[in-house]
Amino acid sequence: MASSAPRRRDPERQMPLKDHLREFRNRILLVAIGIAVGAVAGWFLYEPVFEALQRPILEAADGTDALVTVNFAGLATALDMKIKVSLFLGVILSAPWWLYQLWAFVAPGLRVKEKRYTLGFLGTAIPLFVAGLALAWIVYPKAVTILTGFTPEGGSNFLDAQLLMTFTMRLFLAFGVAFVFPVVMVFMSWAGIVQSRTWLKGWRWAVMIIAIAAAILTPTPDVVTMMWMAVPMVGLYFAAIGISMLGQRRRERRRAAELAAETHT
C-alpha cells in the first residue's frame, strides 16, 4: 500500500534569490581571504620564484650575442613586482580553497547523493590545475627562447618587469584554468545543466575553439608549442564526455529502478 505521507522537499533546492546573492558574496569573501593568506606565503617565496622565472631569460642571453635582461623602469617597480608575484602565488597556492568555494556555492542546488561528488570534484580539479601549470612551465622557457631570438645581433632587449609578469601570470593561469574546464563539463552534465549528448554533438566546434584558444594563449609563433596545449585539451574534452555519459546512464538506471519500485509499492 502506497504511503499517504507527503514527500519532504529539500529546502536547499528552494533557496531564494536574495539568499543566493548573500551566499555568493560570502563565497567571494572567503576566496579573497584564502588568496590573501596564500599571498603572504608568496611574499616569502618571491626570491626563488623570480629567479626561476628569470632563468630562461638569462639562458637565452647566454645563447645569443644580444643583451637580454629584465628591466625595472620605475622607482617603485621592484616593490610593485613583488606584490604582483605574491598575489599570483596566492592564487596558485590557494587553488584547492577557491575550487572548493566554487563547488560549495553550487552544492546547495544538488541532491544529497550528488553532494558526495565533492571529493571527486576536488580530487580531479586540483591535479588537473597543477598539470596545467606544469605544462605552462614547459612552454614558458620555449616561449622566452623563441621570442628573444628575434633580437638582432648586437642589439639589446630590455624586458619590462611589469609586462613580463603580466605575460607569465596570464600564461600559467590560462593553462591551469583550461585544464580544469573538463571537470566543469562533467559537473554540468551530472547536475543536468547540459546533456552529455550536447557536448558530443558540438565536438567539431569544441576542437576549433580549443585550437584558436591554444593559438592565442601560447605566445610563440610555432605550431609545436600550440599543440602542447591543444592536444591535451582535446583529449580531456572527449574524456569528460565519456565520464558524463557514464554518469548520466547510471542516473537513468537508478531513476528507472526507483520508478519501478514506486509502481510496485
Side-chain angles (χ1 to χ4, degrees), residues 26-39 94 97:
N26 294 337
R27 294 297 173 186
I28 291 296
L29 179 60
L30 290 173
V31 168
I33 293 174
I35 293 177
V37 173
S94 65
W97 176 250

Side-chain angles (χ1 to χ4, degrees), residues 156-228:
S156 301
N157 194 336
F158 292 95
L159 303 177
D160 185 83
Q162 300 279 18
L163 296 178
L164 175 65
M165 194 60 233
T166 300
F167 163 80
T168 305
M169 287 190 295
R170 288 179 178 176
L171 178 69
F172 278 75
L173 290 178
F175 271 79
V177 173
F179 272 55
V180 173
F181 182 73
V183 183
V184 178
M185 287 175 55
V186 173
F187 162 73
M188 294 176 68
S189 297
W190 286 6
I193 300 173
V194 180
Q195 295 293 322
S196 56
R197 298 181 185 88
T198 304
W199 294 117
L200 184 59
K201 288 180 181 179
W203 72 268
R204 293 179 180 86
W205 284 100
V207 171
M208 183 181 69
I209 292 173
I210 288 172
I212 294 174
I216 295 174
L217 295 175
T218 51
T220 58
D222 62 298
V223 178
V224 176
T225 304
M226 185 189 78
M227 297 301 289
W228 271 99

